mmCIF file of all heavy atoms in Angstrom:
data_model
loop_
_atom_site.group_PDB
_atom_site.id
_atom_site.type_symbol
_atom_site.label_atom_id
_atom_site.label_comp_id
_atom_site.label_asym_id
_atom_site.label_seq_id
_atom_site.Cartn_x
_atom_site.Cartn_y
_atom_site.Cartn_z
ATOM 1 N N TYR D 54 -12.717 -18.820 14.840
ATOM 2 C CA TYR D 54 -13.149 -18.958 16.224
ATOM 3 C C TYR D 54 -11.942 -19.271 17.090
ATOM 4 O O TYR D 54 -11.510 -20.416 17.187
ATOM 5 C CB TYR D 54 -14.213 -20.054 16.342
ATOM 6 C CG TYR D 54 -15.446 -19.735 15.529
ATOM 7 C CD1 TYR D 54 -15.707 -20.395 14.339
ATOM 8 C CD2 TYR D 54 -16.330 -18.746 15.946
ATOM 9 C CE1 TYR D 54 -16.832 -20.094 13.593
ATOM 10 C CE2 TYR D 54 -17.455 -18.429 15.202
ATOM 11 C CZ TYR D 54 -17.699 -19.112 14.030
ATOM 12 O OH TYR D 54 -18.809 -18.799 13.284
ATOM 13 N N HIS D 61 -13.096 -8.067 15.049
ATOM 14 C CA HIS D 61 -12.624 -7.505 13.772
ATOM 15 C C HIS D 61 -11.119 -7.345 13.925
ATOM 16 O O HIS D 61 -10.648 -6.350 14.470
ATOM 17 C CB HIS D 61 -13.313 -6.177 13.464
ATOM 18 C CG HIS D 61 -14.790 -6.328 13.335
ATOM 19 N ND1 HIS D 61 -15.669 -5.962 14.318
ATOM 20 C CD2 HIS D 61 -15.539 -6.849 12.335
ATOM 21 C CE1 HIS D 61 -16.900 -6.230 13.935
ATOM 22 N NE2 HIS D 61 -16.851 -6.770 12.717
ATOM 23 N N ARG D 67 -7.361 -3.609 -1.008
ATOM 24 C CA ARG D 67 -6.774 -3.457 -2.340
ATOM 25 C C ARG D 67 -6.331 -2.002 -2.476
ATOM 26 O O ARG D 67 -7.104 -1.084 -2.209
ATOM 27 C CB ARG D 67 -7.795 -3.791 -3.418
ATOM 28 C CG ARG D 67 -7.206 -3.848 -4.818
ATOM 29 C CD ARG D 67 -8.278 -4.067 -5.867
ATOM 30 N NE ARG D 67 -9.006 -5.304 -5.708
ATOM 31 C CZ ARG D 67 -8.752 -6.414 -6.397
ATOM 32 N NH1 ARG D 67 -7.793 -6.430 -7.280
ATOM 33 N NH2 ARG D 67 -9.476 -7.494 -6.207
ATOM 34 N N VAL D 68 -5.083 -1.796 -2.842
ATOM 35 C CA VAL D 68 -4.542 -0.456 -3.066
ATOM 36 C C VAL D 68 -3.946 -0.413 -4.463
ATOM 37 O O VAL D 68 -3.864 -1.438 -5.139
ATOM 38 C CB VAL D 68 -3.473 -0.088 -1.987
ATOM 39 C CG1 VAL D 68 -4.107 0.038 -0.612
ATOM 40 C CG2 VAL D 68 -2.342 -1.098 -1.944
ATOM 41 N N GLU D 91 0.304 -1.675 9.836
ATOM 42 C CA GLU D 91 0.024 -1.809 8.399
ATOM 43 C C GLU D 91 1.250 -2.412 7.740
ATOM 44 O O GLU D 91 2.374 -2.182 8.184
ATOM 45 C CB GLU D 91 -0.262 -0.453 7.762
ATOM 46 C CG GLU D 91 -1.555 0.181 8.180
ATOM 47 C CD GLU D 91 -1.838 1.482 7.428
ATOM 48 O OE1 GLU D 91 -0.972 1.959 6.675
ATOM 49 O OE2 GLU D 91 -2.935 2.020 7.596
ATOM 50 N N VAL D 94 1.191 -6.356 1.275
ATOM 51 C CA VAL D 94 1.096 -7.806 1.094
ATOM 52 C C VAL D 94 2.080 -8.215 0.010
ATOM 53 O O VAL D 94 2.087 -7.644 -1.079
ATOM 54 C CB VAL D 94 -0.334 -8.222 0.696
ATOM 55 C CG1 VAL D 94 -0.386 -9.706 0.340
ATOM 56 C CG2 VAL D 94 -1.308 -7.915 1.807
ATOM 57 N N ILE D 109 -2.095 -17.197 8.912
ATOM 58 C CA ILE D 109 -2.769 -17.152 7.621
ATOM 59 C C ILE D 109 -1.751 -16.764 6.561
ATOM 60 O O ILE D 109 -1.038 -15.771 6.709
ATOM 61 C CB ILE D 109 -3.930 -16.140 7.633
ATOM 62 C CG1 ILE D 109 -4.979 -16.610 8.622
ATOM 63 C CG2 ILE D 109 -4.506 -15.955 6.237
ATOM 64 C CD1 ILE D 109 -6.214 -15.779 8.681
ATOM 65 N N ILE D 111 -1.064 -15.542 2.692
ATOM 66 C CA ILE D 111 -1.759 -14.784 1.649
ATOM 67 C C ILE D 111 -1.041 -15.009 0.324
ATOM 68 O O ILE D 111 0.164 -14.765 0.219
ATOM 69 C CB ILE D 111 -1.782 -13.277 1.988
ATOM 70 C CG1 ILE D 111 -2.418 -13.058 3.367
ATOM 71 C CG2 ILE D 111 -2.523 -12.505 0.909
ATOM 72 C CD1 ILE D 111 -2.295 -11.635 3.876
ATOM 73 N N SER D 119 -9.485 -12.086 -20.591
ATOM 74 C CA SER D 119 -9.767 -12.840 -21.803
ATOM 75 C C SER D 119 -9.086 -12.152 -22.979
ATOM 76 O O SER D 119 -8.805 -10.956 -22.936
ATOM 77 C CB SER D 119 -11.277 -12.902 -22.038
ATOM 78 O OG SER D 119 -11.752 -11.625 -22.433
ATOM 79 N N PRO D 120 -8.827 -12.897 -24.062
ATOM 80 C CA PRO D 120 -8.239 -12.284 -25.253
ATOM 81 C C PRO D 120 -9.101 -11.135 -25.780
ATOM 82 O O PRO D 120 -8.577 -10.149 -26.278
ATOM 83 C CB PRO D 120 -8.176 -13.438 -26.256
ATOM 84 C CG PRO D 120 -8.128 -14.672 -25.408
ATOM 85 C CD PRO D 120 -8.934 -14.345 -24.184
ATOM 86 N N ALA D 132 -6.779 4.137 -30.038
ATOM 87 C CA ALA D 132 -7.713 5.202 -30.413
ATOM 88 C C ALA D 132 -7.441 6.466 -29.602
ATOM 89 O O ALA D 132 -7.508 7.581 -30.133
ATOM 90 C CB ALA D 132 -9.153 4.746 -30.214
ATOM 91 N N SER D 134 -4.653 7.472 -28.527
ATOM 92 C CA SER D 134 -3.376 8.091 -28.882
ATOM 93 C C SER D 134 -3.482 8.996 -30.112
ATOM 94 O O SER D 134 -2.623 9.818 -30.358
ATOM 95 C CB SER D 134 -2.312 7.017 -29.124
ATOM 96 O OG SER D 134 -2.624 6.275 -30.288
#
Side-chain angles (χ1 to χ4, degrees):
Y54 299 106
H61 299 103
R67 188 185 299 261
V68 294
E91 291 185 353
V94 173
I109 296 184
I111 304 171
S119 71
S134 68

